[in-house]
Amino acid sequence: MKLELRNVKRDFVSRSGCHYTCIEDVNMEIHSGEFHLLYGASGSGKTTLLNIMTGMLRPTEGQVLLDGTEIQGKKEQELALLRRKSFGYAMQNASLLNSLTVAENISLPLTFFSGTGTAEEQLKKAGLWKVRNSYPSELSGGEYRRCTILRALVIQPDFLFADEPTANLDDTNAEIIIEMLEHLREQGTAVVVATHDKRFMEDSRQIHELG
Amino acid sequence: MKTGKITGLHGIAFRNLRYQSFKTAVLFLLVCMMIAALFVSKLLVASMEAGMQKTCEKIGADLIVVPDRYVDTVQNALFEGKACTVNFSREWVEWLSQTEGVERVSYQLFLATLTAGCCDGENQLIAIDPQSDFVVKAWLSKEGKTPLEDGEIITGSALGKKAGDSVRYFNREFRVKAVLEETGMGYDNSAFITYQDAYDIAADPMYVGTLPFSAEEESVSSVLLQVKEGYALSEVEQSICSAYRKEGMSVYSSGELVGALAKQFHAYQGYGTWFEWIFVIMAAVSIFAVYVVNIRQRYHEFACMSSMGFSFRQIMVMLSEELAVNVLTAGIVGIAIAGGMFALFHLAIRSSVGLPLLLPGLWQILEIGLFILFLNILVSMIAYLYAVLRLRNTEMALLVKEENG
């Protein structure tokens, strides 16, 4: 599968009414099994670009194509379906529902949309079995990040998007996250990570500098 | 896994309510209190209207004659049940019965009971002539309509007695013959005895000097008249006034006495209507604000659900389920609590308001309850639609920023 960005631009209007351009003229091609890094400082537009790729934001100009089909013009319902089936998205600050336990959060996309399966196996593999009955607010930073990744990959998406998955994590926890993502890429999923964490830097990964 | 599977939107809605139990409880309490306050204010106005209407319907007499200087006192005794002792010569009864256009005459004598141990409470005791009475009878059920005898008493509904009980006034035991149906006026706190019993009390050496009349005086406190058919009230009123003005007689039609009360009521009602509408608007705005703030605090969660693949419609259905639970439970509980409290304390409320107050019929109470519930549902729907419109015009990814801002 291929996700393609052509001349993507996104403007915003601030509260004071000023227009400003967040990202401009972004071109990118993401294929299955690739690992892409959106690298840049805070405010460089990494999150905005991820949101545009997942259909959570629409570009002001340019095209987002999935296997040659424009997605930015799709209806909200169709974009939701796309996220449900093909896009796993681990947002930085909004990836788990606080009122559900870890196990419920992770298996929610499976139980809710397909009506089958639990994430028991994945929880064990990710070392989260112990905290399966805890609420997100009770988790450590490392556990929380692993949960968000696990929740995004549980649907076995074609594309996995992760926003700052290792922010504020120690080396051990960051390594676990990076391994999880790498393992996913090896299985054929395209992984796109927005980060300013140098621990992600590796020759095999495609780096897109923003800002 | 120990935790249950979440398979429906209602499951998420329920878990949200349960997880944020403090916020849910605060929201519930806020809405509940608003609804209860609104319900009580509407019920109060309806009770006043019911009380006024019944008083007008059942006051029985066309004209009431009292001495000039006691008009307010008698009015207070009649409508508010304030105990008083007023008396003037019984000669008036004879004079009035001979006036042209007067069909029937009835008279009453007021005796304020004492707070001392001799009496079961401070009530208005009213002596009536069972033969000529047509006022008290109007409030009695069929069984109580046989003439009152010496040693017997008819009690107002607020005195908490039932037929066959005994009650003690001025060191005398009276057997309760009947209980008046609720009048909404002073009669509810009054008790009725025969003239003979009143004079016996006046003749008791223990109370000579306590009561401002003696057994020999043959006093009365108010005279009540029914006018013959074909005569205008104003005509009879005028002829009594011109004949007996010098005796210090004041003649009021029941309508005028009730009218004075009605004026007071309308003043209340006038302010009340304004106050009620201001209150309705304030309550509606507060409930709206509570709902909108609650929805705005959920943007983070909506964005999270959207990233998982929940559609906008699904998120809104979940939100509506949560709102519905709150709106209906808080509304029904608020109305039930307020209704119960009002029914329990309506007598105390009546004495503080100083107006006839009758609980409206069940259907009217239901009508008010349904109106309040409808208002709550309407406000919540407006808040919900406001949220839907706002969310529809906002890209999901921006919600997180909005909530943080």
Side-chain angles (χ1 to χ4, degrees):
Chain A
M1 291 188 90
K2 181 173 82 171
L3 185 69
E4 193 179 352
L5 274 69
R6 286 187 195 159
N7 306 316
V8 167
K9 178 188 177 188
R10 173 69 199 211
D11 294 335
F12 286 105
V13 183
S14 69
R15 286 198 172 190
S16 56
C18 297
H19 286 254
Y20 65 96
T21 301
C22 178
I23 49 170
E24 197 170 12
D25 211 16
V26 176
N27 290 284
M28 200 182 289
E29 272 188 29
I30 301 158
H31 295 90
S32 301
E34 290 180 348
F35 202 124
H36 290 253
L37 293 177
L38 307 179
Y39 191 77
S42 292
S44 58
K46 304 185 296 289
T47 302
T48 299
L49 200 53
L50 280 187
N51 285 332
I52 287 173
M53 287 176 183
T54 54
M56 300 272 287
L57 270 183
R58 292 178 198 271
T60 314
E61 284 174 22
Q63 289 176 301
V64 182
L65 305 155
L66 181 65
D67 288 337
T69 309
E70 268 195 7
I71 66 163
Q72 81 265 24
K74 284 184 186 287
K75 288 180 183 165
E76 192 276 332
Q77 185 85 16
E78 292 170 310
L79 288 173
L81 198 65
L82 205 57
R83 284 193 291 270
R84 201 178 295 170
K85 290 187 168 171
S86 303
F87 294 168
Y89 187 13
M91 295 174 89
Q92 188 179 4
N93 295 316
S95 275
L96 300 173
L97 294 176
N98 290 331
S99 58
L100 305 185
T101 63
V102 165
E104 285 165 340
N105 258 295
I106 290 169
S107 51
L108 186 63
L110 296 177
T111 56
F112 198 90
F113 297 122
S114 61
T116 54
T118 60
E120 198 173 320
E121 208 51 46
Q122 287 97 324
L123 278 166
K124 282 178 181 165
K125 275 186 192 165
L128 292 168
W129 184 248
K130 269 197 309 192
V131 294
R132 66 193 182 282
N133 291 325
S134 304
Y135 286 94
S137 59
E138 297 163 346
L139 301 177
S140 69
E143 287 167 338
Y144 188 93
R145 299 285 176 195
R146 272 184 280 157
C147 278
T148 63
I149 303 289
L150 201 54
R151 206 271 298 144
L153 63 79
V154 76
I155 57 166
Q156 296 177 320
D158 300 309
F159 296 87
L160 186 125
F161 305 92
D163 193 1
E164 299 284 6
T166 55
N168 304 320
L169 292 188
D170 57 49
D171 286 345
T172 314
N173 274 303
E175 197 53 45
I176 293 171
I177 298 281
I178 294 168
E179 268 176 30
M180 277 173 82
L181 294 172
E182 188 58 47
H183 179 68
L184 196 64
R185 185 198 63 77
E186 284 165 10
Q187 288 179 324
T189 300
V191 177
V192 183
V193 173
T195 185
H196 59 263
D197 187 347
K198 287 183 177 161
R199 290 174 290 195
F200 270 105
M201 295 298 182
E202 212 175 85
D203 290 344
S204 60
R205 293 172 186 150
Q206 298 189 40
I207 299 162
H208 308 268
E209 284 221 35
L210 299 173
Chain B
M1 274 180 272
K2 279 180 194 169
T3 42
K5 268 191 197 176
I6 305 291
T7 53
L9 290 168
H10 57 274
I12 303 177
F14 177 71
R15 291 297 294 276
N16 285 338
L17 291 171
R18 204 176 68 177
Y19 179 75
Q20 296 191 315
S21 51
F22 180 74
K23 197 176 90 177
T24 304
V26 169
L27 191 65
F28 175 87
L29 269 177
L30 274 173
V31 177
C32 204
M33 285 191 308
M34 292 284 179
I35 294 295
L38 205 54
F39 184 66
V40 163
S41 74
K42 298 262 327 153
L43 207 55
L44 190 64
V45 173
S47 301
M48 285 181 186
E49 278 170 352
M52 290 298 297
Q53 199 182 344
K54 196 154 186 185
T55 304
C56 289
E57 279 169 10
K58 278 201 159 181
I59 198 156
D62 296 321
L63 293 173
I64 297 172
V65 182
V66 288
D68 284 340
R69 59 186 188 282
Y70 292 131
V71 174
D72 287 342
T73 317
V74 171
Q75 198 177 2
N76 288 341
L78 268 177
F79 296 114
E80 294 176 34
K82 285 186 184 161
C84 71
T85 305
V86 171
N87 69 96
F88 52 93
S89 169
R90 195 161 159 178
E91 267 184 311
W92 287 23
V93 178
E94 295 302 318
W95 299 342
L96 291 166
S97 60
Q98 287 159 17
T99 306
E100 197 186 343
V102 172
E103 166 92 42
R104 296 165 79 187
V105 179
S106 176
Y107 47 95
Q108 297 180 340
L109 176 64
F110 300 159
L111 303 82
T113 62
L114 306 175
T115 45
C118 67
C119 298
D120 276 355
E122 192 183 8
N123 303 118
Q124 179 70 61
L125 212 55
I126 301 175
I128 55 168
D129 172 22
Q131 305 306 322
S132 64
D133 169 67
F134 52 81
V135 179
V136 176
K137 255 181 210 161
W139 298 94
L140 283 172
S141 59
K142 238 178 201 172
E143 304 82 65
K145 288 198 175 172
T146 53
L148 187 67
E149 288 175 13
D150 296 340
E152 289 183 335
I153 195 165
I154 293 170
T155 56
S157 60
L159 299 191
K161 299 288 175 190
K162 57 181 191 299
D165 284 355
S166 63
V167 60
R168 186 179 166 83
Y169 289 118
F170 295 103
N171 268 334
R172 281 172 166 66
E173 289 288 331
F174 293 93
R175 192 181 67 81
V176 177
K177 179 185 174 64
V179 178
L180 293 190
E181 62 175 280
E182 193 180 357
T183 64
M185 37 181 214
Y187 285 171
D188 291 341
N189 293 313
S190 305
F192 302 86
I193 56 172
T194 63
Y195 256 85
Q196 189 52 54
D197 282 336
Y199 288 145
D200 286 350
I201 292 168
D204 189 328
M206 196 181 287
Y207 302 110
V208 170
T210 309
L211 296 171
F213 60 89
S214 67
E216 295 77 35
E217 272 180 89
E218 297 207 319
S219 303
V220 291
S221 301
S222 75
V223 183
L224 305 118
L225 310 177
Q226 267 184 353
V227 171
K228 277 182 189 163
E229 259 191 61
Y231 283 86
L233 278 183
S234 56
E235 199 183 329
V236 180
E237 196 177 334
Q238 192 54 47
S239 60
I240 295 171
C241 277
S242 46
Y244 303 111
R245 191 184 299 276
K246 62 178 184 303
E247 307 293 336
M249 243 185 227
S250 271
V251 185
Y252 288 92
S253 68
S254 306
E256 276 174 314
L257 274 186
V258 175
L261 209 64
K263 209 171 153 189
Q264 192 184 343
F265 170 67
H266 287 307
Y268 269 106
Q269 207 184 21
Y271 292 121
T273 307
W274 276 106
F275 179 74
E276 198 186 335
W277 277 109
I278 290 169
F279 190 70
V280 166
I281 292 165
M282 276 171 58
V285 170
S286 308
I287 293 172
F288 176 81
V290 165
Y291 286 139
V292 168
V293 168
N294 178 46
I295 292 168
R296 279 188 72 96
Q297 285 185 329
R298 311 280 301 280
Y299 284 180
H300 172 279
E301 190 185 327
F302 300 157
C304 171
M305 290 180 77
S306 178
S307 76
M308 264 190 243
F310 283 87
S311 66
F312 179 76
R313 194 187 66 80
Q314 285 174 316
I315 294 170
M316 290 300 109
V317 167
M318 179 200 73
L319 184 63
S320 67
E321 285 186 8
E322 284 182 40
L323 265 182
V325 168
N326 196 286
V327 167
L328 291 175
T329 52
I332 291 168
V333 170
I335 287 169
I337 289 174
M341 299 292 272
F342 193 85
L344 277 176
F345 297 111
H346 79 284
L347 294 177
I349 296 169
R350 184 172 76 204
S351 67
S352 68
V353 173
L355 284 170
L357 204 69
L358 270 184
L359 273 184
L362 188 63
W363 179 243
Q364 201 185 347
I365 294 176
L366 273 176
E367 224 172 77
I368 296 170
L370 285 174
F371 168 76
I372 305 285
L373 205 55
F374 170 76
L375 187 78
N376 187 27
I377 291 170
L378 184 74
V379 170
S380 66
M381 279 174 73
I382 294 171
Y384 174 72
L385 286 176
Y386 170 80
V388 169
L389 285 175
R390 200 165 160 73
L391 289 173
R392 187 162 273 294
N393 294 327
T394 310
E395 288 167 291
M396 277 295 177
L398 297 179
L399 291 181
V400 181
K401 281 188 181 177
E402 276 215 18
E403 185 189 325
N404 293 337

